[in-house]
PDB file of all heavy atoms in Angstrom:
ATOM      1  N   LYS A 300     -55.288  37.815 -67.110  1.00  0.00           N
ATOM      2  CA  LYS A 300     -55.573  39.206 -67.311  1.00  0.00           C
ATOM      3  C   LYS A 300     -55.397  39.992 -65.943  1.00  0.00           C
ATOM      4  O   LYS A 300     -55.385  41.239 -66.026  1.00  0.00           O
ATOM      5  CB  LYS A 300     -56.959  39.371 -67.919  1.00  0.00           C
ATOM      6  CG  LYS A 300     -57.150  38.830 -69.233  1.00  0.00           C
ATOM      7  CD  LYS A 300     -58.594  39.043 -69.700  1.00  0.00           C
ATOM      8  CE  LYS A 300     -58.781  38.396 -71.088  1.00  0.00           C
ATOM      9  NZ  LYS A 300     -60.170  38.423 -71.596  1.00  0.00           N
ATOM     10  N   MET A 322     -29.807  45.296 -58.682  1.00  0.00           N
ATOM     11  CA  MET A 322     -28.967  46.194 -59.385  1.00  0.00           C
ATOM     12  C   MET A 322     -29.645  47.609 -59.577  1.00  0.00           C
ATOM     13  O   MET A 322     -29.132  48.518 -60.109  1.00  0.00           O
ATOM     14  CB  MET A 322     -28.611  45.670 -60.842  1.00  0.00           C
ATOM     15  CG  MET A 322     -27.861  44.377 -60.821  1.00  0.00           C
ATOM     16  SD  MET A 322     -27.750  43.686 -62.473  1.00  0.00           S
ATOM     17  CE  MET A 322     -26.813  44.982 -63.307  1.00  0.00           C
ATOM     18  N   THR A 343     -58.658  34.380 -65.283  1.00  0.00           N
ATOM     19  CA  THR A 343     -58.141  34.352 -63.937  1.00  0.00           C
ATOM     20  C   THR A 343     -57.393  33.200 -63.633  1.00  0.00           C
ATOM     21  O   THR A 343     -57.615  32.120 -64.191  1.00  0.00           O
ATOM     22  CB  THR A 343     -59.431  34.439 -62.928  1.00  0.00           C
ATOM     23  OG1 THR A 343     -60.201  33.340 -63.072  1.00  0.00           O
ATOM     24  CG2 THR A 343     -60.295  35.790 -63.148  1.00  0.00           C
ATOM     25  N   ILE A 400     -22.009  39.655 -51.023  1.00  0.00           N
ATOM     26  CA  ILE A 400     -22.128  41.198 -50.902  1.00  0.00           C
ATOM     27  C   ILE A 400     -23.071  41.631 -49.900  1.00  0.00           C
ATOM     28  O   ILE A 400     -22.893  42.531 -49.069  1.00  0.00           O
ATOM     29  CB  ILE A 400     -22.462  41.752 -52.280  1.00  0.00           C
ATOM     30  CG1 ILE A 400     -21.365  41.367 -53.312  1.00  0.00           C
ATOM     31  CG2 ILE A 400     -22.790  43.141 -52.328  1.00  0.00           C
ATOM     32  CD1 ILE A 400     -21.614  41.813 -54.771  1.00  0.00           C
ATOM     33  N   ASP A 419     -37.185  21.811 -60.867  1.00  0.00           N
ATOM     34  CA  ASP A 419     -37.267  20.379 -61.187  1.00  0.00           C
ATOM     35  C   ASP A 419     -35.898  19.710 -61.251  1.00  0.00           C
ATOM     36  O   ASP A 419     -35.108  20.133 -61.989  1.00  0.00           O
ATOM     37  CB  ASP A 419     -38.027  20.194 -62.482  1.00  0.00           C
ATOM     38  CG  ASP A 419     -38.078  18.641 -62.876  1.00  0.00           C
ATOM     39  OD1 ASP A 419     -37.928  17.857 -62.050  1.00  0.00           O
ATOM     40  OD2 ASP A 419     -38.367  18.467 -64.151  1.00  0.00           O
ATOM     41  N   SER A 466     -20.771 -21.284 -84.735  1.00  0.00           N
ATOM     42  CA  SER A 466     -19.961 -22.499 -84.559  1.00  0.00           C
ATOM     43  C   SER A 466     -20.342 -23.150 -83.255  1.00  0.00           C
ATOM     44  O   SER A 466     -20.489 -24.471 -83.234  1.00  0.00           O
ATOM     45  CB  SER A 466     -18.548 -22.236 -84.665  1.00  0.00           C
ATOM     46  OG  SER A 466     -18.157 -21.591 -85.784  1.00  0.00           O
ATOM     47  N   GLU A 472     -25.500 -28.660 -81.430  1.00  0.00           N
ATOM     48  CA  GLU A 472     -26.488 -29.516 -82.127  1.00  0.00           C
ATOM     49  C   GLU A 472     -25.929 -30.804 -82.511  1.00  0.00           C
ATOM     50  O   GLU A 472     -26.636 -31.857 -82.510  1.00  0.00           O
ATOM     51  CB  GLU A 472     -27.004 -28.712 -83.504  1.00  0.00           C
ATOM     52  CG  GLU A 472     -27.968 -27.567 -83.224  1.00  0.00           C
ATOM     53  CD  GLU A 472     -28.328 -26.930 -84.453  1.00  0.00           C
ATOM     54  OE1 GLU A 472     -27.805 -27.279 -85.428  1.00  0.00           O
ATOM     55  OE2 GLU A 472     -29.141 -25.943 -84.326  1.00  0.00           O
ATOM     56  N   ASP A 510     -30.189  23.919 -92.136  1.00  0.00           N
ATOM     57  CA  ASP A 510     -30.991  25.143 -92.432  1.00  0.00           C
ATOM     58  C   ASP A 510     -32.305  24.747 -93.080  1.00  0.00           C
ATOM     59  O   ASP A 510     -33.409  25.332 -92.628  1.00  0.00           O
ATOM     60  CB  ASP A 510     -30.253  25.980 -93.385  1.00  0.00           C
ATOM     61  CG  ASP A 510     -28.868  26.522 -92.869  1.00  0.00           C
ATOM     62  OD1 ASP A 510     -28.749  26.671 -91.723  1.00  0.00           O
ATOM     63  OD2 ASP A 510     -27.899  26.662 -93.620  1.00  0.00           O
TER      64      ASP A 510
END
Side-chain angles (χ1 to χ4, degrees):
K300 296 180 180 180
M322 297 172 60
T343 61
I400 294 174
D419 180 16
S466 300
E472 289 179 352
D510 302 326

